[in-house]
Amino acid sequence: MIRFFNDFFASIYTALRQPLETFIKLETADDETTLVAGDGSLVTLVRIDGAKRLVGDEEFQNIIEQAKIKIGSRLDRPGYALQFYFMRDPSRVRGELDTIMRPNRAAASNIGLELQDLFDERARHLSKYLAWEECYVVVWTRPTALTKSDIQREVKEKKEIKWVKANNAQFPFAAMNSLRTRHRSFVTSVKTALDDLGIRARIIEVHAALQSIKTSLAPGHPARQWRACLPGDPIPAREPRSRKDYSDVLWPPLARQLCTEDAQVISQTRIRIGNQIWSPIDMVLGPSEPTEFPRLLKRLAEYDLSFRISFLIESGGTNGAGLRRFLTSVIGFTAAENILIKNSLQALDALSKSEPVVRLRVSAATWCSADLPEEKIDEQAAIVMQAIEGWGQCQVSQLMGDPI
């Protein structure tokens, strides 16, 4: 009876998106480099380590033009997305320097040299001028990339799969067979394009990818030694609580493994996760004058604050405008704004015939320790907002629904 009520209230909390883990849509791993989302989407993380050669203004413009040709060609079909994720955290650089210097410290200690003070001073000095950064390209292939017949076949095959009842465990057969080939092709094309552009990139193994995701959720506690439990890994021993549900003898849900701290909404612009205060920022109007990303990074680096930013580029930008197109055709004459919307949709339709039209979502966030004064996070959020708004004349907002 107690388990029944626990499951009942848990389903209500999940539907209302109360726990932080309800925002994590990753289901399981499909192979060594591919994760699977709850809707069947396949996800692969590609880490960007920098350029293989010096990049000036001319080289930078050439990279942009070639990327439009090599990568943008896949975005003219629905079901594909690229998420560019960048994170900068000056407070983590000291820990990274200590990790890098650990072999040197061990070597000096083995030969009897007392150089610990020298290493400490070097780490302290370098931490003044360095910051920890990471950049990823997240490659998404969604079920909408499949044809109607492919989806029908996948639904039929899923019904034929025999699996135990495990509502709170990973489902190892979540991936769609027809989607695997398309995803591998997409990942290969992105990786090859990055190599051709002189960008040093490497596809991340799923355990390392989940480790990076967990660290991004709690930057104050880097998950260096943490390892996710995935299909194929040893299952941790737990006491079964039910004879009908086998969740306790299978792999725990990824969302529960990734989210070990709860979130508390302090205000519409501030949330607390663990011992850190976060402030989210969303772009509501894109730049009227497209500007290079290094300019935005340079402005934010001057203030030495922690922030992250995500650019989600989704294919099929005009596919979801069918209802808007219909409504503007019916009531377009009622207001001048409706006529402008109608004209813009028509312009996008015309543009889609010659080049891909995509959807862009830009989200940023900044954070600081909860031990600092409350005004600190507001100051950081104001700096990030001003920097983004000055980056090609964008418009941003902190009031975009649920702050989590």
Side-chain angles (χ1 to χ4, degrees):
M1 182 63 68
I2 295 177
R3 183 177 179 86
F4 169 78
F5 283 109
N6 286 337
D7 295 340
F8 175 74
F9 287 111
S11 62
I12 295 178
Y13 283 133
T14 300
L16 297 176
R17 287 196 168 186
Q18 290 295 323
L20 182 61
E21 63 187 53
T22 59
F23 292 86
I24 305 296
K25 298 304 180 184
L26 295 177
E27 174 68 28
T28 186
D30 186 49
D31 55 36
E32 294 182 353
T33 60
T34 306
L35 296 169
V36 188
D39 63 349
S41 299
L42 300 181
V43 189
T44 297
L45 271 68
V46 181
R47 182 182 175 92
I48 305 298
D49 293 323
K52 298 179 181 178
R53 56 180 180 270
L54 292 177
V55 179
D57 294 337
E58 184 177 349
E59 292 81 3
F60 187 79
Q61 293 299 328
N62 179 65
I63 290 176
I64 294 177
E65 294 299 325
Q66 292 299 318
K68 289 168 58 179
I69 299 173
K70 297 178 180 293
I71 301 178
S73 59
R74 186 63 69 97
L75 299 178
D76 62 345
R77 286 162 284 180
Y80 298 95
L82 290 174
Q83 183 178 4
F84 296 85
Y85 172 84
F86 179 83
M87 182 176 179
R88 189 176 194 272
D89 188 3
S91 64
R92 281 189 59 185
V93 69
R94 182 59 186 267
E96 295 297 323
L97 288 173
D98 290 339
T99 301
I100 294 173
M101 293 183 179
R102 188 174 295 128
N104 297 334
R105 293 177 185 269
S109 178
N110 291 336
I111 60 178
L113 295 177
E114 297 181 359
L115 300 177
Q116 300 305 318
D117 292 342
L118 177 62
F119 290 126
D120 291 341
E121 175 60 23
R122 177 174 294 182
R124 186 193 65 81
H125 181 70
L126 290 176
S127 62
K128 297 180 181 179
Y129 306 98
L130 301 177
W132 182 87
E133 297 177 349
E134 68 176 358
C135 182
Y136 290 95
V137 178
V138 186
V139 183
W140 291 80
T141 306
R142 306 188 189 279
T144 51
L146 299 176
T147 62
K148 185 177 180 180
S149 59
D150 289 335
I151 294 177
Q152 292 176 347
R153 184 174 64 254
E154 290 291 341
V155 171
K156 182 178 179 181
E157 292 178 356
K158 285 290 186 293
K159 292 181 179 179
E160 296 176 354
I161 295 177
K162 296 182 179 181
W163 187 245
V164 297
K165 180 182 179 182
N167 296 330
N168 294 312
Q170 298 178 46
F171 180 54
F173 304 104
M176 300 181 181
N177 294 325
S178 303
L179 203 61
R180 288 191 178 101
T181 304
R182 290 173 171 82
H183 183 70
R184 293 194 188 103
S185 175
F186 190 26
V187 172
T188 301
S189 64
V190 171
K191 179 63 169 61
T192 303
L194 292 173
D195 292 337
D196 294 342
L197 295 172
I199 304 298
R200 183 180 177 184
R202 51 193 175 94
I203 299 175
I204 302 299
E205 193 264 342
V206 289
H207 291 91
L210 291 169
Q211 186 181 73
S212 298
I213 295 173
K214 185 177 178 64
T215 300
S216 70
L217 294 173
H221 306 283
R224 296 188 182 95
Q225 305 299 326
W226 178 82
R227 181 181 173 88
C229 181
L230 300 172
D233 296 338
I235 300 176
R238 290 172 294 171
E239 180 184 2
R241 294 179 296 174
S242 173
R243 296 183 178 181
K244 298 181 180 180
D245 192 299
Y246 292 83
S247 299
D248 296 324
V249 296
L250 294 173
W251 310 276
L254 277 182
R256 193 170 299 171
Q257 297 184 55
L258 293 170
C259 300
T260 56
E261 297 177 319
D262 198 7
Q264 176 186 0
V265 179
I266 300 176
S267 67
Q268 191 64 27
T269 61
R270 288 182 294 176
I271 62 174
R272 176 167 181 163
I273 303 178
N275 193 38
Q276 292 177 323
I277 305 297
W278 291 75
S279 183
I281 300 166
D282 291 319
M283 182 182 294
V284 295
L285 186 63
S288 58
E289 299 177 2
T291 309
E292 295 86 354
F293 179 72
R295 294 191 181 183
L296 173 62
L297 179 59
K298 183 179 180 180
R299 296 188 61 179
L300 291 172
E302 294 176 354
Y303 297 96
D304 201 35
L305 53 82
S306 302
F307 75 95
R308 69 185 186 192
I309 188 168
S310 168
F311 301 84
L312 178 60
I313 303 175
E314 298 179 289
S315 64
T318 59
N319 293 340
L323 179 60
R324 295 182 183 179
R325 193 179 296 107
F326 171 75
L327 292 177
T328 54
S329 64
V330 176
I331 61 175
F333 62 89
T334 59
E337 290 80 3
N338 294 334
I339 297 177
L340 294 176
I341 296 175
K342 179 181 178 181
N343 294 336
S344 65
L345 292 175
Q346 291 176 349
L348 288 176
D349 289 336
L351 183 62
S352 63
K353 297 178 181 179
S354 58
E355 60 181 272
V357 175
V358 299
R359 289 177 290 182
L360 173 65
R361 301 178 186 178
V362 182
S363 299
T366 182
W367 67 93
C368 68
S369 173
D371 299 329
L372 297 175
E374 296 182 358
E375 297 78 12
K376 179 63 176 179
I377 189 63
D378 295 332
E379 294 175 0
Q380 291 187 193
I383 292 173
V384 175
M385 291 179 66
Q386 292 175 4
I388 297 179
E389 288 178 340
W391 181 55
Q393 300 181 10
C394 306
Q395 291 187 16
V396 298
S397 175
Q398 290 186 284
L399 305 177
M400 294 296 293
D402 194 327
I404 299 179

